[in-house]
Amino acid sequence: MPRRISKNDVTQSDLFGVFAALSWNVPVSKRIYHVLTTLVAIIATISYFALASGDGEAYNCATVRDAHEHAPDTFHEVCRQVYWVRYVDWALTTPLLLLQLSLLAGIDGAHTLMAIVANVIMILTGMFSAFGTEGTAQTWGWYAISCISYLFVIWHVALHGSRMVGNKGAGVSRLFGSLGLFTFLVWTAYPIVWGIVNGAHKPSIDTEIMIYAVLDFLAKPVFGAWLLLSHRAIQETTIDLTGWWSHGLAAEGRIRIGDEE
């Protein structure tokens, strides 16, 4: 049955319009944070619309044995909804969030790429774990790989970034430290919630949806608003991208008859 669109769905759809509006008076060459933040909000809005309309879900079923003292054992199936669209959302948006932190700190391309790849592995193995058979390596083996991948993300972005950001001034260092700590505290809550929800099956599906909605709101709109407002106030955070990003390739590769070689 389709779920009623929640306040969080409406809030995220409103916010991507706000983020886009904030970039109108910013030159294209300096809009990288605005573009990435708007893309995160758009993807999250589509994801939550899918959840609200009843799409993007599947069932993970397990057969449970019921033991009886004076009768043969019986079996029944226990099924739990798995919202796979949530993992698609995370696989697309979290790399963009990491890219923003990497650009803010001035992290080199090699560490940024490794962090993004480790992040995608973390999300995908988390999804594999959610569809795994309960009590087997399919569940907890994939979960362990996901957590290990998360440690690689922390190393490449948080630890390496804290060393790199010092070259960009005290203001940027404080902003990166605050945003990075906030982000990784929120992100650390996800595997804890996953272990309780998918591992122990304690809360209801509705409670699970509410918990993840709060975490997503903190990790995406709150992060984006914090970054963009701070970016306006701290000049050293500006990244000026020229060339293809700002002007395209219209002037590249033209053949001019009569030009000297």
mmCIF file of all heavy atoms in Angstrom, residues 211-255:
data_model
loop_
_atom_site.group_PDB
_atom_site.id
_atom_site.type_symbol
_atom_site.label_atom_id
_atom_site.label_comp_id
_atom_site.label_asym_id
_atom_site.label_seq_id
_atom_site.Cartn_x
_atom_site.Cartn_y
_atom_site.Cartn_z
ATOM 1 N N ILE A 211 13.450 6.755 11.693
ATOM 2 C CA ILE A 211 14.846 6.918 12.120
ATOM 3 C C ILE A 211 15.728 7.289 10.931
ATOM 4 O O ILE A 211 16.531 8.229 10.995
ATOM 5 C CB ILE A 211 15.357 5.639 12.797
ATOM 6 C CG1 ILE A 211 14.615 5.393 14.111
ATOM 7 C CG2 ILE A 211 16.865 5.733 13.049
ATOM 8 C CD1 ILE A 211 14.937 4.056 14.754
ATOM 9 N N TYR A 212 15.572 6.545 9.825
ATOM 10 C CA TYR A 212 16.391 6.839 8.647
ATOM 11 C C TYR A 212 16.048 8.203 8.053
ATOM 12 O O TYR A 212 16.922 8.883 7.505
ATOM 13 C CB TYR A 212 16.210 5.748 7.596
ATOM 14 C CG TYR A 212 17.038 4.508 7.852
ATOM 15 C CD1 TYR A 212 16.455 3.248 7.861
ATOM 16 C CD2 TYR A 212 18.407 4.593 8.085
ATOM 17 C CE1 TYR A 212 17.214 2.102 8.091
ATOM 18 C CE2 TYR A 212 19.176 3.468 8.322
ATOM 19 C CZ TYR A 212 18.573 2.228 8.322
ATOM 20 O OH TYR A 212 19.326 1.103 8.552
ATOM 21 N N ALA A 213 14.778 8.627 8.148
ATOM 22 C CA ALA A 213 14.396 9.945 7.638
ATOM 23 C C ALA A 213 15.096 11.058 8.410
ATOM 24 O O ALA A 213 15.576 12.035 7.815
ATOM 25 C CB ALA A 213 12.880 10.122 7.717
ATOM 26 N N VAL A 214 15.191 10.911 9.730
ATOM 27 C CA VAL A 214 15.893 11.909 10.548
ATOM 28 C C VAL A 214 17.378 11.943 10.195
ATOM 29 O O VAL A 214 17.980 13.008 10.019
ATOM 30 C CB VAL A 214 15.696 11.611 12.043
ATOM 31 C CG1 VAL A 214 16.594 12.515 12.897
ATOM 32 C CG2 VAL A 214 14.239 11.804 12.446
ATOM 33 N N LEU A 215 17.990 10.758 10.070
ATOM 34 C CA LEU A 215 19.411 10.692 9.727
ATOM 35 C C LEU A 215 19.668 11.282 8.344
ATOM 36 O O LEU A 215 20.646 12.025 8.146
ATOM 37 C CB LEU A 215 19.897 9.244 9.782
ATOM 38 C CG LEU A 215 19.969 8.602 11.172
ATOM 39 C CD1 LEU A 215 20.387 7.141 11.066
ATOM 40 C CD2 LEU A 215 20.930 9.355 12.089
ATOM 41 N N ASP A 216 18.798 10.970 7.373
ATOM 42 C CA ASP A 216 18.963 11.518 6.031
ATOM 43 C C ASP A 216 18.812 13.034 6.028
ATOM 44 O O ASP A 216 19.529 13.735 5.302
ATOM 45 C CB ASP A 216 17.931 10.903 5.081
ATOM 46 C CG ASP A 216 18.300 9.490 4.651
ATOM 47 O OD1 ASP A 216 19.456 9.090 4.856
ATOM 48 O OD2 ASP A 216 17.426 8.788 4.114
ATOM 49 N N PHE A 217 17.885 13.543 6.831
ATOM 50 C CA PHE A 217 17.702 14.989 6.899
ATOM 51 C C PHE A 217 18.951 15.674 7.456
ATOM 52 O O PHE A 217 19.375 16.723 6.960
ATOM 53 C CB PHE A 217 16.493 15.320 7.770
ATOM 54 C CG PHE A 217 16.189 16.785 7.845
ATOM 55 C CD1 PHE A 217 15.552 17.431 6.796
ATOM 56 C CD2 PHE A 217 16.552 17.530 8.962
ATOM 57 C CE1 PHE A 217 15.276 18.792 6.857
ATOM 58 C CE2 PHE A 217 16.280 18.891 9.026
ATOM 59 C CZ PHE A 217 15.637 19.526 7.969
ATOM 60 N N LEU A 218 19.562 15.071 8.446
ATOM 61 C CA LEU A 218 20.793 15.629 9.014
ATOM 62 C C LEU A 218 21.961 15.515 8.036
ATOM 63 O O LEU A 218 22.750 16.455 7.871
ATOM 64 C CB LEU A 218 21.140 14.915 10.319
ATOM 65 C CG LEU A 218 20.177 15.114 11.498
ATOM 66 C CD1 LEU A 218 20.569 14.218 12.659
ATOM 67 C CD2 LEU A 218 20.164 16.570 11.948
ATOM 68 N N ALA A 219 22.070 14.367 7.383
ATOM 69 C CA ALA A 219 23.229 14.093 6.535
ATOM 70 C C ALA A 219 23.202 14.858 5.219
ATOM 71 O O ALA A 219 24.267 15.087 4.623
ATOM 72 C CB ALA A 219 23.313 12.594 6.244
ATOM 73 N N LYS A 220 22.001 15.275 4.772
ATOM 74 C CA LYS A 220 21.915 15.899 3.451
ATOM 75 C C LYS A 220 21.475 17.369 3.519
ATOM 76 O O LYS A 220 22.303 18.256 3.280
ATOM 77 C CB LYS A 220 20.983 15.069 2.554
ATOM 78 C CG LYS A 220 21.538 13.673 2.303
ATOM 79 C CD LYS A 220 20.512 12.750 1.684
ATOM 80 C CE LYS A 220 21.000 11.332 1.641
ATOM 81 N NZ LYS A 220 19.979 10.387 1.163
ATOM 82 N N PRO A 221 20.213 17.692 3.815
ATOM 83 C CA PRO A 221 19.829 19.109 3.837
ATOM 84 C C PRO A 221 20.573 19.936 4.879
ATOM 85 O O PRO A 221 20.998 21.057 4.589
ATOM 86 C CB PRO A 221 18.327 19.059 4.145
ATOM 87 C CG PRO A 221 17.875 17.722 3.703
ATOM 88 C CD PRO A 221 19.025 16.813 3.983
ATOM 89 N N VAL A 222 20.729 19.407 6.093
ATOM 90 C CA VAL A 222 21.430 20.179 7.128
ATOM 91 C C VAL A 222 22.892 20.369 6.738
ATOM 92 O O VAL A 222 23.440 21.473 6.839
ATOM 93 C CB VAL A 222 21.316 19.479 8.504
ATOM 94 C CG1 VAL A 222 22.216 20.169 9.527
ATOM 95 C CG2 VAL A 222 19.872 19.493 8.979
ATOM 96 N N PHE A 223 23.529 19.298 6.274
ATOM 97 C CA PHE A 223 24.910 19.405 5.795
ATOM 98 C C PHE A 223 25.015 20.425 4.664
ATOM 99 O O PHE A 223 25.909 21.284 4.658
ATOM 100 C CB PHE A 223 25.395 18.033 5.324
ATOM 101 C CG PHE A 223 26.745 18.057 4.653
ATOM 102 C CD1 PHE A 223 27.902 17.852 5.381
ATOM 103 C CD2 PHE A 223 26.852 18.270 3.279
ATOM 104 C CE1 PHE A 223 29.144 17.869 4.763
ATOM 105 C CE2 PHE A 223 28.088 18.293 2.652
ATOM 106 C CZ PHE A 223 29.234 18.084 3.399
ATOM 107 N N GLY A 224 24.113 20.337 3.675
ATOM 108 C CA GLY A 224 24.174 21.231 2.531
ATOM 109 C C GLY A 224 23.972 22.690 2.908
ATOM 110 O O GLY A 224 24.697 23.570 2.431
ATOM 111 N N ALA A 225 22.992 22.959 3.767
ATOM 112 C CA ALA A 225 22.749 24.337 4.187
ATOM 113 C C ALA A 225 23.934 24.884 4.974
ATOM 114 O O ALA A 225 24.353 26.039 4.773
ATOM 115 C CB ALA A 225 21.481 24.391 5.042
ATOM 116 N N TRP A 226 24.484 24.074 5.854
ATOM 117 C CA TRP A 226 25.651 24.481 6.646
ATOM 118 C C TRP A 226 26.822 24.824 5.728
ATOM 119 O O TRP A 226 27.474 25.871 5.886
ATOM 120 C CB TRP A 226 26.014 23.339 7.591
ATOM 121 C CG TRP A 226 27.085 23.647 8.604
ATOM 122 C CD1 TRP A 226 27.896 24.748 8.660
ATOM 123 C CD2 TRP A 226 27.475 22.817 9.708
ATOM 124 N NE1 TRP A 226 28.763 24.659 9.727
ATOM 125 C CE2 TRP A 226 28.518 23.485 10.384
ATOM 126 C CE3 TRP A 226 27.031 21.580 10.181
ATOM 127 C CZ2 TRP A 226 29.145 22.940 11.509
ATOM 128 C CZ3 TRP A 226 27.645 21.041 11.299
ATOM 129 C CH2 TRP A 226 28.680 21.719 11.964
ATOM 130 N N LEU A 227 27.088 23.965 4.742
ATOM 131 C CA LEU A 227 28.216 24.180 3.845
ATOM 132 C C LEU A 227 28.025 25.432 2.994
ATOM 133 O O LEU A 227 28.939 26.266 2.885
ATOM 134 C CB LEU A 227 28.402 22.961 2.944
ATOM 135 C CG LEU A 227 29.477 23.086 1.860
ATOM 136 C CD1 LEU A 227 30.848 23.328 2.485
ATOM 137 C CD2 LEU A 227 29.501 21.846 0.975
ATOM 138 N N LEU A 228 26.845 25.601 2.413
ATOM 139 C CA LEU A 228 26.633 26.742 1.518
ATOM 140 C C LEU A 228 26.646 28.076 2.262
ATOM 141 O O LEU A 228 27.214 29.058 1.774
ATOM 142 C CB LEU A 228 25.311 26.581 0.772
ATOM 143 C CG LEU A 228 25.244 25.443 -0.252
ATOM 144 C CD1 LEU A 228 23.922 25.477 -1.001
ATOM 145 C CD2 LEU A 228 26.410 25.503 -1.222
ATOM 146 N N LEU A 229 26.033 28.120 3.440
ATOM 147 C CA LEU A 229 26.033 29.371 4.210
ATOM 148 C C LEU A 229 27.443 29.711 4.693
ATOM 149 O O LEU A 229 27.840 30.884 4.685
ATOM 150 C CB LEU A 229 25.071 29.244 5.392
ATOM 151 C CG LEU A 229 23.585 29.141 5.020
ATOM 152 C CD1 LEU A 229 22.741 28.924 6.263
ATOM 153 C CD2 LEU A 229 23.129 30.391 4.262
ATOM 154 N N SER A 230 28.193 28.706 5.102
ATOM 155 C CA SER A 230 29.582 28.942 5.530
ATOM 156 C C SER A 230 30.448 29.325 4.343
ATOM 157 O O SER A 230 31.356 30.161 4.462
ATOM 158 C CB SER A 230 30.148 27.694 6.209
ATOM 159 O OG SER A 230 29.387 27.352 7.350
ATOM 160 N N HIS A 231 30.179 28.718 3.196
ATOM 161 C CA HIS A 231 30.926 29.027 1.976
ATOM 162 C C HIS A 231 30.775 30.493 1.594
ATOM 163 O O HIS A 231 31.742 31.141 1.159
ATOM 164 C CB HIS A 231 30.423 28.117 0.848
ATOM 165 C CG HIS A 231 30.897 28.493 -0.505
ATOM 166 N ND1 HIS A 231 32.229 28.608 -0.832
ATOM 167 C CD2 HIS A 231 30.210 28.801 -1.639
ATOM 168 C CE1 HIS A 231 32.351 28.950 -2.106
ATOM 169 N NE2 HIS A 231 31.137 29.078 -2.609
ATOM 170 N N ARG A 232 29.592 31.052 1.777
ATOM 171 C CA ARG A 232 29.377 32.473 1.480
ATOM 172 C C ARG A 232 30.158 33.373 2.422
ATOM 173 O O ARG A 232 30.558 34.487 2.050
ATOM 174 C CB ARG A 232 27.885 32.802 1.563
ATOM 175 C CG ARG A 232 27.039 32.156 0.484
ATOM 176 C CD ARG A 232 25.557 32.319 0.769
ATOM 177 N NE ARG A 232 25.131 33.708 0.681
ATOM 178 C CZ ARG A 232 24.659 34.274 -0.426
ATOM 179 N NH1 ARG A 232 24.546 33.562 -1.531
ATOM 180 N NH2 ARG A 232 24.276 35.525 -0.430
ATOM 181 N N ALA A 233 30.375 32.911 3.640
ATOM 182 C CA ALA A 233 31.035 33.744 4.649
ATOM 183 C C ALA A 233 32.553 33.592 4.657
ATOM 184 O O ALA A 233 33.249 34.495 5.113
ATOM 185 C CB ALA A 233 30.489 33.400 6.041
ATOM 186 N N ILE A 234 33.058 32.470 4.165
ATOM 187 C CA ILE A 234 34.504 32.208 4.209
ATOM 188 C C ILE A 234 35.042 32.199 2.783
ATOM 189 O O ILE A 234 34.826 31.251 2.021
ATOM 190 C CB ILE A 234 34.805 30.860 4.916
ATOM 191 C CG1 ILE A 234 34.193 30.849 6.312
ATOM 192 C CG2 ILE A 234 36.304 30.620 4.985
ATOM 193 C CD1 ILE A 234 34.328 29.518 7.022
ATOM 194 N N GLN A 235 35.728 33.241 2.400
ATOM 195 C CA GLN A 235 36.197 33.409 1.032
ATOM 196 C C GLN A 235 37.164 32.309 0.623
ATOM 197 O O GLN A 235 37.216 31.912 -0.551
ATOM 198 C CB GLN A 235 36.874 34.786 0.881
ATOM 199 C CG GLN A 235 37.281 35.133 -0.534
ATOM 200 C CD GLN A 235 36.092 35.263 -1.475
ATOM 201 O OE1 GLN A 235 35.006 35.648 -1.049
ATOM 202 N NE2 GLN A 235 36.287 34.938 -2.746
ATOM 203 N N GLU A 236 37.929 31.791 1.581
ATOM 204 C CA GLU A 236 38.957 30.788 1.255
ATOM 205 C C GLU A 236 38.366 29.453 0.798
ATOM 206 O O GLU A 236 39.090 28.603 0.275
ATOM 207 C CB GLU A 236 39.869 30.541 2.467
ATOM 208 C CG GLU A 236 40.769 31.699 2.840
ATOM 209 C CD GLU A 236 40.029 32.779 3.639
ATOM 210 O OE1 GLU A 236 38.860 32.541 4.019
ATOM 211 O OE2 GLU A 236 40.622 33.849 3.870
ATOM 212 N N THR A 237 37.065 29.264 0.987
ATOM 213 C CA THR A 237 36.446 28.006 0.550
ATOM 214 C C THR A 237 36.116 28.017 -0.934
ATOM 215 O O THR A 237 35.773 26.971 -1.498
ATOM 216 C CB THR A 237 35.148 27.748 1.338
ATOM 217 O OG1 THR A 237 34.215 28.812 1.085
ATOM 218 C CG2 THR A 237 35.414 27.642 2.831
ATOM 219 N N THR A 238 36.244 29.173 -1.578
ATOM 220 C CA THR A 238 35.846 29.294 -2.981
ATOM 221 C C THR A 238 36.775 28.483 -3.878
ATOM 222 O O THR A 238 37.999 28.534 -3.751
ATOM 223 C CB THR A 238 35.863 30.764 -3.422
ATOM 224 O OG1 THR A 238 34.940 31.507 -2.624
ATOM 225 C CG2 THR A 238 35.477 30.883 -4.888
ATOM 226 N N ILE A 239 36.169 27.731 -4.784
ATOM 227 C CA ILE A 239 36.907 26.983 -5.799
ATOM 228 C C ILE A 239 36.499 27.544 -7.146
ATOM 229 O O ILE A 239 35.318 27.528 -7.503
ATOM 230 C CB ILE A 239 36.605 25.476 -5.729
ATOM 231 C CG1 ILE A 239 37.040 24.919 -4.374
ATOM 232 C CG2 ILE A 239 37.302 24.734 -6.862
ATOM 233 C CD1 ILE A 239 36.657 23.465 -4.170
ATOM 234 N N ASP A 240 37.470 28.044 -7.910
ATOM 235 C CA ASP A 240 37.194 28.671 -9.203
ATOM 236 C C ASP A 240 37.552 27.694 -10.310
ATOM 237 O O ASP A 240 38.723 27.457 -10.599
ATOM 238 C CB ASP A 240 38.001 29.964 -9.329
ATOM 239 C CG ASP A 240 37.486 30.850 -10.457
ATOM 240 O OD1 ASP A 240 36.611 30.388 -11.202
ATOM 241 O OD2 ASP A 240 37.973 31.991 -10.587
ATOM 242 N N LEU A 241 36.530 27.099 -10.924
ATOM 243 C CA LEU A 241 36.731 26.123 -11.994
ATOM 244 C C LEU A 241 36.453 26.782 -13.331
ATOM 245 O O LEU A 241 35.328 27.188 -13.607
ATOM 246 C CB LEU A 241 35.800 24.922 -11.798
ATOM 247 C CG LEU A 241 35.981 24.117 -10.506
ATOM 248 C CD1 LEU A 241 34.936 23.021 -10.428
ATOM 249 C CD2 LEU A 241 37.374 23.521 -10.443
ATOM 250 N N THR A 242 37.469 26.872 -14.165
ATOM 251 C CA THR A 242 37.301 27.464 -15.492
ATOM 252 C C THR A 242 37.303 26.347 -16.527
ATOM 253 O O THR A 242 37.011 25.204 -16.213
ATOM 254 C CB THR A 242 38.428 28.471 -15.751
ATOM 255 O OG1 THR A 242 39.696 27.816 -15.603
ATOM 256 C CG2 THR A 242 38.370 29.626 -14.756
ATOM 257 N N GLY A 243 37.621 26.678 -17.769
ATOM 258 C CA GLY A 243 37.683 25.658 -18.813
ATOM 259 C C GLY A 243 36.321 25.064 -19.110
ATOM 260 O O GLY A 243 35.315 25.767 -19.211
ATOM 261 N N TRP A 244 36.303 23.725 -19.260
ATOM 262 C CA TRP A 244 35.081 23.033 -19.654
ATOM 263 C C TRP A 244 33.937 23.286 -18.695
ATOM 264 O O TRP A 244 32.788 23.458 -19.110
ATOM 265 C CB TRP A 244 35.366 21.536 -19.745
ATOM 266 C CG TRP A 244 34.127 20.714 -19.872
ATOM 267 C CD1 TRP A 244 33.393 20.509 -20.997
ATOM 268 C CD2 TRP A 244 33.459 20.000 -18.824
ATOM 269 N NE1 TRP A 244 32.302 19.707 -20.734
ATOM 270 C CE2 TRP A 244 32.320 19.377 -19.397
ATOM 271 C CE3 TRP A 244 33.705 19.815 -17.466
ATOM 272 C CZ2 TRP A 244 31.437 18.596 -18.658
ATOM 273 C CZ3 TRP A 244 32.841 19.031 -16.723
ATOM 274 C CH2 TRP A 244 31.719 18.434 -17.319
ATOM 275 N N TRP A 245 34.190 23.316 -17.367
ATOM 276 C CA TRP A 245 33.128 23.503 -16.378
ATOM 277 C C TRP A 245 32.368 24.809 -16.609
ATOM 278 O O TRP A 245 31.146 24.859 -16.491
ATOM 279 C CB TRP A 245 33.721 23.475 -14.969
ATOM 280 C CG TRP A 245 32.729 23.791 -13.887
ATOM 281 C CD1 TRP A 245 32.460 25.004 -13.339
ATOM 282 C CD2 TRP A 245 31.844 22.871 -13.234
ATOM 283 N NE1 TRP A 245 31.483 24.924 -12.382
ATOM 284 C CE2 TRP A 245 31.082 23.609 -12.294
ATOM 285 C CE3 TRP A 245 31.630 21.502 -13.327
ATOM 286 C CZ2 TRP A 245 30.125 23.021 -11.469
ATOM 287 C CZ3 TRP A 245 30.673 20.913 -12.507
ATOM 288 C CH2 TRP A 245 29.936 21.662 -11.587
ATOM 289 N N SER A 246 33.092 25.873 -16.942
ATOM 290 C CA SER A 246 32.472 27.198 -17.060
ATOM 291 C C SER A 246 32.104 27.569 -18.491
ATOM 292 O O SER A 246 31.094 28.245 -18.722
ATOM 293 C CB SER A 246 33.416 28.272 -16.508
ATOM 294 O OG SER A 246 33.751 27.992 -15.168
ATOM 295 N N HIS A 247 32.924 27.144 -19.468
ATOM 296 C CA HIS A 247 32.764 27.653 -20.831
ATOM 297 C C HIS A 247 32.485 26.554 -21.857
ATOM 298 O O HIS A 247 32.263 26.864 -23.026
ATOM 299 C CB HIS A 247 34.022 28.424 -21.252
ATOM 300 C CG HIS A 247 34.434 29.473 -20.271
ATOM 301 N ND1 HIS A 247 33.669 30.601 -20.015
ATOM 302 C CD2 HIS A 247 35.518 29.557 -19.444
ATOM 303 C CE1 HIS A 247 34.280 31.345 -19.090
ATOM 304 N NE2 HIS A 247 35.394 30.730 -18.720
ATOM 305 N N GLY A 248 32.512 25.286 -21.439
ATOM 306 C CA GLY A 248 32.255 24.209 -22.380
ATOM 307 C C GLY A 248 33.423 23.984 -23.322
ATOM 308 O O GLY A 248 34.529 24.487 -23.110
ATOM 309 N N LEU A 249 33.158 23.228 -24.368
ATOM 310 C CA LEU A 249 34.207 22.894 -25.323
ATOM 311 C C LEU A 249 33.949 23.540 -26.684
ATOM 312 O O LEU A 249 34.465 23.082 -27.704
ATOM 313 C CB LEU A 249 34.294 21.374 -25.494
ATOM 314 C CG LEU A 249 34.634 20.585 -24.225
ATOM 315 C CD1 LEU A 249 34.595 19.086 -24.517
ATOM 316 C CD2 LEU A 249 36.010 20.969 -23.703
ATOM 317 N N ALA A 250 33.140 24.608 -26.704
ATOM 318 C CA ALA A 250 32.769 25.219 -27.986
ATOM 319 C C ALA A 250 33.968 25.751 -28.739
ATOM 320 O O ALA A 250 33.992 25.772 -29.972
ATOM 321 C CB ALA A 250 31.763 26.351 -27.755
ATOM 322 N N ALA A 251 34.961 26.221 -27.985
ATOM 323 C CA ALA A 251 36.125 26.816 -28.641
ATOM 324 C C ALA A 251 37.242 25.818 -28.885
ATOM 325 O O ALA A 251 38.278 26.159 -29.433
ATOM 326 C CB ALA A 251 36.658 27.973 -27.776
ATOM 327 N N GLU A 252 37.036 24.565 -28.465
ATOM 328 C CA GLU A 252 38.079 23.557 -28.607
ATOM 329 C C GLU A 252 37.915 22.810 -29.925
ATOM 330 O O GLU A 252 36.814 22.442 -30.324
ATOM 331 C CB GLU A 252 37.998 22.556 -27.453
ATOM 332 C CG GLU A 252 38.199 23.190 -26.088
ATOM 333 C CD GLU A 252 39.602 23.728 -25.901
ATOM 334 O OE1 GLU A 252 40.518 23.176 -26.521
ATOM 335 O OE2 GLU A 252 39.768 24.699 -25.158
ATOM 336 N N GLY A 253 39.024 22.554 -30.600
ATOM 337 C CA GLY A 253 39.024 21.711 -31.785
ATOM 338 C C GLY A 253 38.480 22.373 -33.039
ATOM 339 O O GLY A 253 38.174 21.701 -34.022
ATOM 340 N N ARG A 254 38.336 23.692 -33.057
ATOM 341 C CA ARG A 254 37.845 24.363 -34.258
ATOM 342 C C ARG A 254 38.936 24.406 -35.333
ATOM 343 O O ARG A 254 40.114 24.569 -35.032
ATOM 344 C CB ARG A 254 37.411 25.789 -33.943
ATOM 345 C CG ARG A 254 36.116 25.865 -33.119
ATOM 346 C CD ARG A 254 35.749 27.310 -32.883
ATOM 347 N NE ARG A 254 34.495 27.423 -32.149
ATOM 348 C CZ ARG A 254 33.993 28.571 -31.721
ATOM 349 N NH1 ARG A 254 34.626 29.711 -31.973
ATOM 350 N NH2 ARG A 254 32.863 28.587 -31.052
ATOM 351 N N ILE A 255 38.531 24.257 -36.561
ATOM 352 C CA ILE A 255 39.461 24.370 -37.688
ATOM 353 C C ILE A 255 39.258 25.727 -38.341
ATOM 354 O O ILE A 255 38.160 26.054 -38.795
ATOM 355 C CB ILE A 255 39.214 23.251 -38.721
ATOM 356 C CG1 ILE A 255 39.412 21.878 -38.064
ATOM 357 C CG2 ILE A 255 40.125 23.415 -39.932
ATOM 358 C CD1 ILE A 255 39.086 20.721 -38.980
#
